[in-house]
Amino acid sequence: MKKEILIDDEYITLGQLLKEEAIISTGGQAKWYLRETAVDVNGEPENRRGKKLRDGDNVSVPDVGMFFIRSKQENE
């Protein structure tokens, strides 16, 4: 699955993205999930739940899909 994620602010954290997309049910699960799952941000492995995702970033989550971060301001 490929999905565009529109953000209101300058960034969203990786943990927030995982929770908002219902990949995890609580923010506290992010640390565990990222330790167990090989998530890539812009083609590089990432395991920090606080990683700031900004407009133009791409996140790949195995067995879930690809997420494209886009600013709502640019799309208006």
Side-chain angles (χ1 to χ4, degrees):
M1 165 185 72
K2 293 182 180 181
K3 184 172 182 184
E4 188 171 80
I5 306 297
L6 297 176
I7 57 174
D8 292 319
D9 297 320
E10 180 182 347
Y11 65 87
I12 184 174
T13 66
L14 183 53
Q16 288 171 324
L17 171 74
L18 295 173
K19 186 175 177 199
E20 286 183 17
E21 292 302 311
I23 298 168
I24 57 173
S25 56
T26 67
Q29 291 178 329
K31 191 173 190 177
W32 169 83
Y33 182 83
L34 292 169
R35 221 182 279 151
E36 301 293 321
T37 308
V39 173
D40 287 345
V41 175
N42 299 325
E44 297 291 324
E46 185 57 68
N47 62 5
R48 296 173 294 165
R49 65 183 175 183
K51 169 68 175 166
K52 294 177 181 176
L53 305 172
R54 301 176 192 279
D55 183 51
D57 286 342
N58 299 312
V59 180
S60 177
V61 181
D63 300 322
V64 177
M66 188 80 148
F67 300 92
F68 304 98
I69 311 302
R70 302 294 177 254
S71 173
K72 276 188 180 177
Q73 295 151 354
E74 284 188 9
N75 291 324
E76 292 179 349

